[in-house]
Amino acid sequence: MCQRNHQSSGSCFLNSTFKNMTFMGFLSVSPCLLFLYINMVMLYSLKSKPVFRETPRYILFGNLIFADTILLMNGQLLYILAVAGLYIMRYTCVVIVMVANFIGNVSPLNLFVMSLERYVAICYPLRHSSIITPRTTGLVIAAMWALSFLNIITKLTMLLVLESLPLDQVMNEYCSGNKLFNLGIHSQVDNVLHSILFTIVGFIIIYTYITLMLIAKSASTDKDSNNKARNTVLLHLIQLCLSLSSTLHHNIVSALKSMGLDKASQIEYILFITVIILPKCLSPLIYGLRDKIIPKLPLHCCRLDWCFMGTI
C-alpha cells in the first residue's frame, strides 16, 4: 500500500519512523516514571520516620536513592531533548551535564560506604553502634559530595580554559557530555579518574564479600544474617559493574557506529536502557524486596512490596 508512488512511500517511511521513536520513548520513559514515583515516596518516608533518620544504613540508602533519582531525571531530560531534536544553549547544557557528572560520582562512593557498613556490622558487631553512628554517617556523606564537587570544579575549569566555543550560543548537536567536551584531554582525564575510583571501590567491595563469605563458614556466627549481608555486598558489586559500564557507553556506541552496523541506533538504545537507566532503578528493588521494614511502607494506594511484585 505504501509502494504505489514515491511520495506515499516517503510518507509511510516517516510514519513508521515516528511510530518507532514513540514506542522506544514509551519503553524508556514509562519505567523511569514508575521508579521516580517509588523513589519519591521512599525519600519522603525515609525523612518522615525517626527509625530511618537515626539508622546509618537507612541514611546511606536515602542518599543513594536521592542520587539515583536526580540521575534518572537528568538522563530522561537529555534523552527527551535528543529524541525531540531540540538544541539548547551551551551554558544550559553545561549545567545539565555538570549535574550528571557531579552526582554520578556519588553512587559508587555510596556503594563503597554501604559495603563497609555491612562489613563492620558482621565483623565487629559489638563496636558497630559506636563506629557507625548517624553523625559519622553524615560526615562520610558530606565527604562524598565534597569529593564529587572537586571533580566538577576541575572539569568546569578545563572547559572554560581549554574550550574555545562560546557558552552563549545554541549547540548544533544534541546536549551530551561528549558533545560538550570536544578535546581529547577531557576523555583522558575522565578515564584516569574513573579507573582510580572504580578500582579502589571495586577492590574494597570484593574484599568485603570474600571476608563475609569466609566468616559465613564459621559455626560461631549468625549465618542467616551473614549470608544476607554477603548477598547485599554482592548486589552492590553488580551495581558497581553496571555503573562502570555506563562510563563506557559512549566508547561502545562510537565503536558500533564506526563499524557501520545497520542496527547501530537500536543497539545504542538498548545500551541506554541497560547501562544508563537500569543501574539507577536497582536500589529500590534490592532494598525494597529484601528489607524487613521498607516493603511495608505505604504507596498511597498499595504497599511497597505489592508494587515491586509488578516490576519484577
Side-chain angles (χ1 to χ4, degrees):
M1 194 174 169
C2 289
Q3 296 178 352
R4 291 180 180 176
N5 53 60
H6 180 74
Q7 184 177 2
S8 62
S9 177
S11 62
C12 287
F13 173 76
L14 292 176
N15 187 40
S16 176
T17 302
F18 176 76
K19 288 182 179 180
N20 289 335
M21 291 177 60
T22 302
F23 179 70
M24 293 170 67
F26 173 77
L27 289 181
S28 171
V29 174
S30 55
C32 286
L33 292 178
L34 172 63
F35 280 97
L36 283 174
Y37 171 65
I38 293 174
N39 287 359
M40 291 297 186
V41 176
M42 273 192 171
L43 287 173
Y44 175 78
S45 299
L46 291 171
K47 290 294 184 181
S48 61
K49 296 183 180 297
V51 64
F52 295 135
R53 294 198 306 267
E54 298 169 2
T55 305
R57 182 160 62 97
Y58 292 118
I59 296 174
L60 290 170
F61 174 57
N63 187 60
L64 181 63
I65 288 291
F66 175 76
D68 287 347
T69 301
I70 299 299
L71 287 175
L72 265 179
M73 293 189 293
N74 189 282
Q76 280 303 298
L77 175 60
L78 291 175
Y79 175 77
I80 292 172
L81 289 174
V83 170
L86 298 177
Y87 300 152
I88 59 178
M89 301 293 290
R90 282 180 60 84
Y91 58 77
T92 305
C93 183
V94 168
V95 174
I96 297 175
V97 171
M98 286 301 176
V99 169
N101 282 274
F102 176 39
I103 300 180
N105 292 324
V106 173
S107 293
L109 291 174
N110 206 98
L111 294 173
F112 160 70
V113 176
M114 293 176 78
S115 298
L116 285 183
E117 188 274 333
R118 289 293 84 199
Y119 173 82
V120 174
I122 298 300
C123 298
Y124 305 98
L126 299 179
R127 300 177 57 190
H128 176 263
S129 59
S130 60
I131 297 175
I132 311 296
T133 64
R135 183 177 181 276
T136 57
T137 304
L139 292 175
V140 170
I141 290 176
M144 292 183 207
W145 289 91
L147 286 174
S148 297
F149 184 72
L150 289 176
N151 179 40
I152 293 306
I153 292 296
T154 303
K155 292 178 71 68
L156 186 58
T157 302
M158 292 176 61
L159 176 67
L160 296 176
V161 172
L162 300 179
E163 295 287 350
S164 58
L165 294 176
L167 296 179
D168 57 345
Q169 71 176 17
V170 178
M171 300 183 66
N172 56 5
E173 297 178 286
Y174 62 86
C175 176
S176 71
N178 299 302
K179 302 294 189 301
L180 189 63
F181 301 100
N182 297 311
L183 300 180
I185 189 173
H186 294 299
S187 60
Q188 294 173 5
V189 171
D190 281 343
N191 290 336
V192 171
L193 293 177
H194 286 142
S195 298
I196 295 174
L197 174 63
F198 284 98
T199 299
I200 295 175
V201 174
F203 174 79
I204 295 298
I205 292 180
I206 292 174
Y207 171 79
T208 302
Y209 177 77
I210 294 175
T211 302
L212 295 179
M213 185 173 59
L214 295 175
I215 293 176
K217 298 180 180 179
S218 175
S220 60
T221 61
D222 183 354
K223 291 191 175 182
D224 291 337
S225 177
N226 181 266
N227 287 334
K228 187 174 181 179
R230 184 190 62 189
N231 293 335
T232 299
V233 173
L234 179 60
L235 291 171
H236 290 337
L237 182 61
I238 295 174
Q239 283 182 279
L240 181 68
C241 292
L242 289 173
S243 297
L244 176 60
S245 65
S246 66
T247 64
L248 304 175
H249 176 262
H250 173 69
N251 295 331
I252 298 173
V253 171
S254 298
L256 292 174
K257 291 182 177 179
S258 65
M259 295 169 61
L261 296 179
D262 295 336
K263 301 293 184 179
S265 59
Q266 287 85 346
I267 297 175
E268 181 180 3
Y269 173 76
I270 294 173
L271 288 173
F272 171 76
I273 295 295
T274 54
V275 305
I276 301 295
I277 298 300
L278 179 61
K280 312 302 183 296
C281 300
L282 285 180
S283 297
L285 291 179
I286 291 174
Y287 284 88
L289 292 177
R290 302 179 72 250
D291 197 89
K292 294 181 179 179
I293 302 177
I294 291 179
K296 297 180 175 60
L297 294 177
L299 273 174
H300 299 294
C301 61
C302 61
R303 265 177 41 187
L304 194 55
D305 50 355
W306 299 345
C307 291
F308 281 129
M309 291 303 176
T311 61
I312 294 182

